[in-house]
């Protein structure tokens, strides 16, 4: 009964979700406190108290039929304008409400813009390591994914390889900064060079190439690291954003697309994206959450909690002998594995440590650890990580374990 296009998706179900489901089974068998599940990027930091208060105030103050009713496929006008003003204040941009489309999270936003621009056979370039669902999203619209191999020294994009992969069928490039799974933030120099390369290739091929910046982790950056706003570097840029991480609202599925006036045929793109939102079955983004975002547009999640986790896990694992660049943003460590990454992740299960193999992100030889868990879980897991390191011979004798 199922479509041929679905068969490989069923057979190769998301490695992240598969590990998450296995973690639930192990927790039932051994007790949740004895299983160290670092598989899923599910925020453990509560949403700001202002979110709860906004929901209560909206239900008490705003008209029920409006709050729960239909609106424009692009979303409430005042919500879009409020978000545009917030972006302008923070990043020196000049957007208006008409540049925004409210979406059902970042995943829906990516699907909306890809449906808007892709014809069968069009190519979309991504930089490894990348969020694995990008391939599925591109293939939803019969596009072709082109993967730039990773630069494993810095995990900044490999720009020489990038330029060589641009063809006359290249329609879009997806970037993700701060990056999942590495935590790397793309520098202004990197973004400027990406823009220069794209402008050069547009002229060479006489075509338009859209840069899609996927930014669910924008607000999660540490040590004063700046996350540059990508539209400032290349005119044909669309921003895809989600409040899943910045306000700890992953299950509420609320985000937006920014389609600047500078984008070629921007009015047509915005109109088509609104229609894409409808025909994909979303119709519109969740109405109550749109109203909440308007009241909480400048709220922030408790970043210090993630930073505390980051410091403990990074410092401990590197002390044990694991190799890992220190993440500048998001809430992941991307460690180098001492053997094949799939075998390594299987081995770690013996110590009830669950992580996701780097092969799932097109970067074999690494594993992703999601540290958006409780500080106490990280503390409990350290003896297990230390034992794993010892069994692989990564660490010499060490006095004491945290």
């Amino acid at each position: 009964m199922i479509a041929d296009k679905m068969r490989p998706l069923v057979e190769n179900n998301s490695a992240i979700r598969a590990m998450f489901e296995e973690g639930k089974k192990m927790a039932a068998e051994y007790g949740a406190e004895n299983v160290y599940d670092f598989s899923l990027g599910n925020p453990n930091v509560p949403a700001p108290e202002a979110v709860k208060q906004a929901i209560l105030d909206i239900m008490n103050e705003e008209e029920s039929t409006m709050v729960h009713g239909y609106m424009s496929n692009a979303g409430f006008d005042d919500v879009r304008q409020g978000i545009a003003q917030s972006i302008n204040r923070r990043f020196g941009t000049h957007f208006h409400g008409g540049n925004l489309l409210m979406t059902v999270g970042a995943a829906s936003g990516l699907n909306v813009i890809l449906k808007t621009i892709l014809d069968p056979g069009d190519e979309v370039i991504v930089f490894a390591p990348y969020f694995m669902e990008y391939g599925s999203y591109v293939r939803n619209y019969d596009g072709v994914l082109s993967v730039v191999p990773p630069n494993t020294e810095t995990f900044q994009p490999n720009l020489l390889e990038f330029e060589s992969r641009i063809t006359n069928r290249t329609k879009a490039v997806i970037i993700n900064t701060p990056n999942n799974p590495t935590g790397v933030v793309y520098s202004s120099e990197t973004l400027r060079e990406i823009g220069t390369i794209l402008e050069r290739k547009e002229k060479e091929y006489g075509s338009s190439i859209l840069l899609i910046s996927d930014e669910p982790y924008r607000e999660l950056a540490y040590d004063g690291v700046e996350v540059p706003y990508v539209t400032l570097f290349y005119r044909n840029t669309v921003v895809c954003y989600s409040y899943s991480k910045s306000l700890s609202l992953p299950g509420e599925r609320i985000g937006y697309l920014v389609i600047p006036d500078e984008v070629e045929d921007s009015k047509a793109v915005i109109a088509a994206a609104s229609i894409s939102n409808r025909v994909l079955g979303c119709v519109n983004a969740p109405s109550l959450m749109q109203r909440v975002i308007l009241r909480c547009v400048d709220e922030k999640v408790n970043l210090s909690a993630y930073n505390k986790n980051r410091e403990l896990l990074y410092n401990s694992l590197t002390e044990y002998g694991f190799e890992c660049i220190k993440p500048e943003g998001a809430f992941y460590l991307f460690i180098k594995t001492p053997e094949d990454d799939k075998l390594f992740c299987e081995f770690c299960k013996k110590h009830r440590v669950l992580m996701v193999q780097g092969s799932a992100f097109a970067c074999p030889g690494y594993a992703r650890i999601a540290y958006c868990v409780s500080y106490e879980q990280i503390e409990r897991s350290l003896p297990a990580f230390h034992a794993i390191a010892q069994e692989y011979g990564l660490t010499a004798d060490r006095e004491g374990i945290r």
Side-chain angles (χ1 to χ4, degrees):
M1 286 292 290
I2 70 171
D4 289 341
K5 285 177 69 173
M6 283 301 300
R7 293 185 189 280
L9 297 180
V10 173
E11 293 168 2
N12 302 304
N13 192 19
S14 166
I16 298 174
R17 287 288 173 173
M19 193 68 75
F20 175 65
E21 294 300 327
E22 189 159 352
K24 291 198 295 184
K25 293 178 183 178
M26 291 176 68
E29 182 177 355
Y30 300 110
E33 71 280 3
N34 300 313
V35 177
Y36 315 116
D37 189 350
F38 298 96
S39 62
L40 191 62
N42 190 27
N44 74 304
V45 174
E49 185 63 26
V51 170
K52 177 181 177 180
Q53 190 60 51
I55 294 172
L56 296 173
D57 290 344
I58 288 164
M59 299 310 297
N60 288 324
E61 297 170 6
E62 299 190 23
E63 178 61 43
S64 175
T65 54
M66 185 273 289
V67 170
H68 300 299
Y70 287 131
M71 80 296 296
S72 164
N73 297 135
F76 287 114
D77 291 343
D78 58 342
V79 175
R80 295 154 64 204
Q81 185 63 28
I83 295 172
Q85 291 172 349
S86 173
I87 297 171
N88 294 341
R89 285 194 300 270
R90 290 182 291 149
F91 305 115
T93 51
H94 53 274
F95 303 133
H96 53 83
N99 293 128
L100 272 81
L101 171 76
M102 303 304 297
T103 63
V104 185
S108 178
L110 285 164
N111 275 272
V112 164
I113 194 61
L114 290 171
K115 181 171 180 60
T116 298
I117 66 170
L118 290 185
D119 287 313
D122 283 346
E123 296 171 357
V124 178
I125 296 176
V126 295
F127 295 95
Y130 65 91
F131 179 54
M132 63 189 71
E133 300 290 11
Y134 290 164
S136 296
Y137 300 163
V138 170
R139 288 186 287 272
N140 281 344
Y141 313 104
D142 298 315
V144 177
L145 194 72
S146 177
V147 181
V148 178
N151 166 10
T152 54
E153 286 190 20
T154 64
F155 287 105
Q156 291 284 326
N158 188 333
L159 297 181
L160 287 176
E161 290 283 352
F162 168 54
E163 185 162 10
S164 72
R165 277 167 168 72
I166 300 174
T167 74
N168 61 355
R169 293 308 305 266
T170 301
K171 195 64 175 289
V173 178
I174 301 176
I175 61 173
N176 172 219
T177 175
N179 181 258
N180 172 15
T182 66
V184 164
V185 174
Y186 292 178
S187 66
S188 295
E189 292 75 17
T190 293
L191 295 173
R192 188 172 293 109
E193 184 60 22
I194 288 174
T196 299
I197 291 170
L198 290 175
E199 288 173 355
R200 185 160 61 240
K201 288 297 183 177
E202 283 187 323
K203 291 178 182 177
E204 178 181 343
Y205 293 120
S207 61
S208 298
I209 304 173
L210 191 67
L211 181 60
I212 303 170
S213 184
D214 180 28
E215 303 185 358
Y217 301 97
R218 164 167 286 283
E219 271 64 54
L220 275 61
Y222 311 101
D223 300 329
V225 170
E226 177 192 2
V227 183
Y229 207 76
V230 183
T231 64
L232 302 175
F233 296 89
Y234 177 65
R235 63 181 179 82
N236 275 332
T237 297
V238 166
V239 174
C240 181
Y241 185 84
S242 167
Y243 290 95
S244 294
K245 321 300 182 183
S246 62
L247 290 182
S248 291
L249 298 173
E252 301 296 349
R253 312 310 305 137
I254 186 68
Y256 60 78
L257 283 172
V258 178
I259 304 173
D261 291 336
E262 289 80 7
V263 169
E264 187 170 337
D265 296 328
S266 62
K267 290 184 179 179
V269 174
I270 292 167
S274 296
I275 294 170
S276 293
N277 203 33
R278 185 180 77 232
V279 301
L280 283 172
C282 300
V283 182
N284 54 253
S287 56
L288 173 59
M289 293 314 300
Q290 288 192 52
R291 307 308 305 166
V292 170
I293 293 306
L294 178 60
R295 293 180 182 233
C296 299
V297 69
D298 290 323
E299 292 291 332
K300 296 179 180 178
V301 76
N302 180 9
L303 188 62
S304 63
Y306 291 134
N307 187 48
K308 185 179 178 182
N309 288 0
R310 179 185 72 126
E311 293 288 351
L312 175 60
L313 195 58
Y314 173 80
N315 291 336
S316 298
L317 265 58
T318 53
E319 184 179 346
Y320 300 161
F322 289 102
E323 294 183 39
C324 174
I325 59 167
K326 191 170 187 179
E328 300 169 302
F331 40 50
Y332 306 107
L333 291 184
F334 203 52
I335 64 170
K336 190 172 183 179
T337 58
E339 66 168 334
D340 175 89
D341 54 307
K342 294 180 182 178
L343 295 177
F344 175 73
C345 289
E346 280 298 313
F347 177 83
C348 290
K349 291 179 187 177
K350 297 178 183 178
H351 292 271
R352 301 171 192 166
V353 174
L354 303 178
M355 59 187 84
V356 181
Q357 66 265 25
S359 299
F361 304 93
C363 191
Y366 290 81
R368 190 193 78 171
I369 302 173
Y371 57 82
C372 50
V373 298
S374 70
Y375 189 80
E376 291 71 26
Q377 176 179 311
I378 295 175
E379 287 184 312
R380 291 196 308 271
S381 74
L382 294 182
F385 277 114
H386 187 256
I388 293 167
Q390 285 188 317
E391 291 190 48
Y392 278 101
L394 299 181
T395 182
D397 291 339
R398 176 175 170 270
E399 291 296 323
I401 297 174
R402 292 178 190 269

